[in-house]
Amino acid sequence: MNSTVAEPIVAARGIHKHFGHLHVLKGVDLEVAERELVFVIGPSGSGKSTLLRCLNRLEEPSAGNITVAGIDMLDPRTDINHARQHIGMVFQSFNLYPHMTALGNVMLALRKVAGKSRTEAEKLAQAALERVGLADRADHRPAELSGGQQQRVAIARAIALEPRVMLFDEPTSALDPELVGSVLAVMRSLRESGMTMIVVSHEMGFARAAADRVVFMDHGLIVEQGPPAQIFESPAHERTRAFIGQIRQH
Amino acid sequence: MEEIVQSFFNAEIAQAAMPIVLAGLLNTVLLSLLVVPLGLIGGLILALLAQVKGPLVRWALISWVDFFRAFPPLVLLILLFAGLPFAGLELSGFACVAIAFFLNTGAYYGEILRAGIDSIPRGQVEAARSTGLSGLQTMTWVVLPQAVRNVLPDLLSNTLEVVKLTSLGSVVAVPELLFQARQAQSVTYNPTPIVMAAVIYFLILWPVVRLLSRLENRASAGRA
Ligand SMILES: Nc1ncnc2c1ncn2[C@@H]1O[C@H](COP(=O)(O)OP(=O)(O)O)[C@@H](O)[C@H]1O
Ligand SMILES: [Mg+2]
């Protein structure tokens, strides 16, 4: 948890991102240590999703450096598909493959990317579903699952590849309130197992209980960061204070 | 009445013409089995190219598809058959039909498949890529299976058109069903072979039409 001792597992330096004339990331530096849980908050449009998506190169940064698990993500010689195995990602809208069962969703990358045999992939996929509490839903299609269950399948799909880092982009924002808890519980158990996680979310309770560090972003920059208590109780910047006041009211 | 039966449903003539007409049916089936997969492959290539961003590919693709959709297939066929020899390239009627249909129907299949691919939410592609699947693997395992299912009625409907259009082969002396029937007609001075061809077309295409309307009903029920 001490990011000064070991080499960080995620190191993004000077990240800029332009969409046409829109300057969305304006020089973001983010380092994450192994086993650390970093929580990213900030107003809508501040660039949180774009930052996460740059880390696994779903977006191409306009400038900057990114290494993840020792791999230079922006080097053209890097096999990006291989590198992405080490970086799990969970999306707000689950993005499961609707034509496959829960098990099929988890198995696909195990088969095609990790090159596992059918029986091996099935075993690993079943184990991943077990970890998210859905062993008994293996043969259900996404349409037959609740939102919370779908998101847990999406988490299983990512963790089955044994990534070194997990990225969560508002994993509970699309869920009915009563289903949020089940997804957060899975994230907590993941955290307890030592997974390095970067989480974009507004779940303050979860941040308080589980985050090592909270990062506040606004207008494409990190405004301030620190332990949850510090950021939530005594933020140094007016913008942070205003934002936290706002999400408290909900 | 007697006259109509004699001209159109003449059993004697039907019996005599049967081998000729059946040989035509065989060629129609062979031609379809050649042209439909060719068109599907061509269409798939066009649909995949359409995923490539970049103005040059985009412009070339739009021109190609527009051109061959606007070009009447019969004109294209005759042009190939009558025109290519002037360019020193003499192809059989069969080859001309295959090429013309590949160009024409590939453009249609391409548009259908492209619509199918576009119907798959972008998020699924991103999720697949985030797990390390390559673009091609994502296309193969995530996008295409759903895309094809989404546009199956359109694909089938286009296939129906293609099979019907193989009768154009008769114009360039490809001995397919219609050509053979007309041969038989001109020998027997009796239109019964044409009626036979019509009945055969109906018999092979009607099940496809049935299937199509069931698919369409299911699709609209699914949407409701
Ligand atoms: N693909 C894109 N093309 C153009 N603009 C984009 C794209 N993705 C995001 N943006 C813009 O970038 C800004 C930051 O977006 P985003 O990273 O999604 O913010 P956040 O996740 O913090 O809400 C927004 O103004 C958004 O409209
Ligand atoms: Mg976002």
Side-chain angles (χ1 to χ4, degrees), chain B:
Chain B
M1 186 66 203
E2 176 66 21
E3 213 165 304
I4 290 179
V5 170
Q6 275 303 311
S7 324
F8 291 98
F9 306 98
N10 190 315
E12 228 168 288
I13 298 221
Q15 206 170 7
M18 193 58 92
I20 304 173
V21 172
L22 285 184
L25 172 62
L26 181 65
N27 278 327
T28 291
V29 170
L30 287 178
L31 200 53
S32 301
L33 287 180
L34 179 71
V35 160
V36 169
L38 267 184
L40 278 170
I41 291 168
L44 186 59
I45 292 170
L46 291 176
L48 291 180
L49 280 176
Q51 306 308 306
V52 179
K53 305 300 167 214
L56 201 72
V57 177
R58 185 158 218 85
W59 184 86
L61 212 60
I62 290 174
S63 319
W64 178 280
V65 169
D66 279 9
F67 183 79
F68 287 109
R69 287 214 300 180
F71 216 111
L74 181 57
V75 179
L76 183 60
L77 178 58
I78 291 175
L79 196 67
L80 286 176
F81 190 68
L84 280 184
F86 288 97
L89 196 64
E90 204 146 336
L91 293 177
S92 71
F94 204 87
C96 287
V97 175
I99 294 171
F101 278 28
F102 170 70
L103 295 173
N104 172 263
T105 207
Y108 281 95
Y109 278 130
E111 284 300 281
I112 294 169
L113 288 171
R114 192 174 60 86
I117 290 172
D118 288 348
S119 74
I120 307 306
R122 179 94 207 121
Q124 283 184 46
V125 174
E126 293 184 340
R129 297 306 305 273
S130 80
T131 63
L133 263 69
S134 70
L136 199 62
Q137 286 175 322
T138 302
M139 194 47 87
T140 308
W141 302 107
V142 176
V143 178
L144 279 178
Q146 301 181 68
V148 167
R149 191 174 311 174
N150 287 355
V151 295
L152 202 56
D154 292 335
L155 286 176
L156 211 55
S157 162
N158 194 49
T159 303
L160 203 61
E161 291 309 310
V162 175
V163 175
K164 287 188 214 166
L165 279 176
T166 57
S167 59
L168 291 183
S170 62
V171 177
V172 294
V174 171
E176 48 70 62
L177 182 53
L178 180 62
F179 182 87
Q180 292 292 87
R182 295 201 60 181
Q183 288 291 97
Q185 178 211 3
S186 66
V187 184
T188 58
Y189 299 105
N190 185 297
T192 298
I194 306 287
V195 174
M196 292 165 72
V199 169
I200 292 175
Y201 274 123
F202 180 79
L203 287 180
I204 58 176
L205 293 179
W206 181 68
V208 184
V209 173
R210 267 296 80 218
L211 179 64
L212 183 59
S213 95
R214 282 180 60 165
L215 282 177
E216 279 164 347
N217 283 338
R218 210 175 58 188
S220 62
R223 233 174 279 126

Side-chain angles (χ1 to χ4, degrees), chain A residues 59-189:
Chain A
E59 299 291 355
E60 203 71 43
S62 315
N65 291 299
I66 297 172
T67 55
V68 178
I71 300 170
D72 182 347
M73 296 298 290
L74 304 184
D75 187 334
R77 286 165 301 181
T78 297
D79 177 351
I80 190 66
N81 296 323
H82 185 263
R84 281 178 179 149
Q85 281 185 77
H86 304 305
I87 313 172
M89 188 160 195
V90 174
F91 303 82
Q92 180 175 347
S93 50
F94 327 139
N95 298 342
L96 293 182
Y97 318 131
H99 60 306
M100 296 179 187
T101 61
L103 192 71
N105 268 271
V106 182
M107 279 176 68
L108 183 64
L110 285 169
R111 296 272 285 136
K112 305 297 170 190
V113 183
K116 306 284 185 200
S117 71
R118 170 168 286 281
T119 40
E120 180 74 355
E122 205 167 304
K123 211 179 77 197
L124 293 171
Q126 192 65 46
L129 286 174
E130 195 136 350
R131 280 182 75 183
V132 300
L134 291 174
D136 57 336
R137 295 287 188 275
D139 53 3
H140 286 56
R141 297 282 178 106
E144 302 160 347
L145 299 173
S146 74
Q149 290 171 332
Q150 288 187 52
Q151 191 61 298
R152 281 145 68 198
V153 173
I155 294 174
R157 173 173 65 183
I159 62 175
L161 293 161
E162 298 186 15
R164 304 284 305 278
V165 188
M166 284 285 293
L167 312 176
F168 292 84
D169 192 357
E170 305 210 26
T172 58
S173 298
L175 296 176
D176 294 334
E178 71 271 20
L179 300 176
V180 169
S182 68
V183 171
L184 291 180
V186 167
M187 289 171 66
R188 280 187 85 142
S189 82

